[in-house]
Amino acid sequence: MCPDPRPEYFRGIDGQRLVGERWGASADLLYLHGFGQTRQAWARTAAHLAAAGFGGLALDGRGHGESDWNAAEHAYSMEQFIADIDTVAAGQPSRPVLVGASMGGLLGLVTEGESASGRYSALVLVDITPRWEAQGVERILDFMGAHPEGFADLDAAADAIMSYLPHRRRRKTPEELSSLLVRHADGRWRWHWDPRMLDEVARDGARYQQRLMQAARQVRIPTLLISGGLSDLVSDATVDEFLQLVPHAQHVRIADATHMVAGDRNDAFTAAIQDFLTALPSRRAVSATAPSVDTVPGVAP
């Protein structure tokens, strides 16, 4: 059994307060969520891995969850997110394994690939590659921007999520939704992230693709890419390109998961990470080898 997580607090590059929580006694892993998510996206995986001996830190990015939002007169930029994560990673007692979903994975790629001495002992990238399918990104951003007025109640929010993720059989509970939404003074529930990021960060991501590809070429540490077999953001073409950029990387495809891999098939997702962690050669960088594919129950190559 893993004890409840402990809150931890950090300062971003410009003094912004960043809120995280520590799972387990060790500092093996650093979890970075995707755009528009919070650290709660990792709760089940972090609890399971901590109980297995792999403790870690799950962080809310600026403008997300309980971390500070930028002041109204200050725009968001990807450079702020990159600098925040670089600062937090550099302050860990040892080099953690970076587990990053979507935007969190991109931040991991940049901070590792552009560091002269490296930031992490290994990388786990969750359904993200340096180049992605534009149509998938647009679908995500359309959903995120579809309810600027918020929701009258949590049932309405649950309906919207079910419509966006119709393959999920289980409806989110009020307790689960409370980590995704916050109730404002007008009584309406809105997402737990700053909507200004939609225009200021998300739609500007494509111009970073060449930088991300160059960063990927510099990655020398053990790397695992986990993709969703039903993802419309990562495709066979983008995976193949990534494996050319990082030829020693492993790839696991979870056949019945979308871009929201951890939420769709948390069992197979967590098992893939645990297998990867268990097989790490004392957390030492490995020399380049041919791409390989791991399989776990419910996972297709």
Side-chain angles (χ1 to χ4, degrees), residues 145-288:
H147 303 279
E149 75 290 349
F151 303 95
D153 51 42
L154 293 178
D155 279 340
D159 288 343
I161 294 172
M162 286 293 291
S163 177
Y164 176 63
L165 301 171
H167 62 286
R168 292 197 181 171
R169 299 175 182 176
R170 190 176 67 84
R171 186 181 177 85
K172 282 194 174 293
T173 66
E175 292 75 18
E176 291 170 326
L177 287 169
S178 66
S179 69
L180 301 176
L181 298 111
V182 61
R183 196 171 193 179
H184 286 239
D186 62 2
R188 297 187 67 82
W189 294 84
R190 293 177 176 84
W191 300 119
H192 218 312
W193 46 266
D194 191 337
R196 291 183 299 150
M197 291 188 294
L198 278 175
D199 291 326
E200 295 175 358
V201 175
R203 298 189 188 278
D204 195 33
R207 74 181 182 91
Y208 284 86
Q209 289 185 344
Q210 288 302 315
R211 179 178 174 182
L212 289 163
M213 293 174 71
Q214 181 57 33
R217 293 186 182 98
Q218 306 306 313
V219 171
R220 299 291 182 267
I221 56 176
T223 300
L224 171 65
L225 169 64
I226 302 177
S227 66
L230 303 177
S231 174
D232 56 0
L233 193 140
V234 169
S235 65
D236 288 344
T238 68
V239 169
D240 288 346
E241 180 180 59
F242 175 76
L243 294 177
Q244 292 175 25
L245 295 169
V246 190
H248 63 273
Q250 303 172 54
H251 174 221
V252 167
R253 179 183 290 111
I254 300 182
D256 46 354
T258 67
H259 181 59
M260 312 297 287
V261 183
D264 287 345
R265 281 298 311 276
N266 191 260
D267 53 350
F269 171 75
T270 304
I273 296 177
Q274 186 169 344
D275 287 349
F276 175 71
L277 296 174
T278 302
L280 285 177
S282 302
R283 308 282 171 84
R284 293 192 300 268
V286 294
S287 58

Side-chain angles (χ1 to χ4, degrees), residues 3-77:
D4 290 338
R6 309 179 306 279
E8 291 196 9
Y9 304 93
F10 305 87
R11 289 293 172 185
I13 191 64
D14 50 4
Q16 296 284 84
R17 189 184 76 148
L18 304 176
V19 181
E21 54 190 14
R22 181 78 62 179
W23 293 84
S26 61
D28 300 287
L29 309 171
L30 175 60
Y31 298 96
L32 301 182
H33 59 72
F35 188 79
Q37 293 184 311
T38 74
R39 66 184 190 271
Q40 300 305 323
W42 303 112
R44 283 184 291 168
T45 293
H48 178 96
L49 292 178
F54 299 102
L57 169 69
L59 189 71
D60 281 342
R62 70 168 58 217
H64 295 78
E66 295 184 81
S67 290
D68 284 349
W69 292 14
N70 281 8
E73 66 273 18
H74 293 150
Y76 289 88
S77 74

Side-chain angles (χ1 to χ4, degrees), residues 83-107:
D84 285 347
I85 299 311
D86 198 50
T87 299
V88 172
Q92 297 305 298
S94 60
R95 293 186 184 182
V97 175
L98 186 286
V99 182
S102 199
M103 182 182 77
L106 298 180
L107 296 174

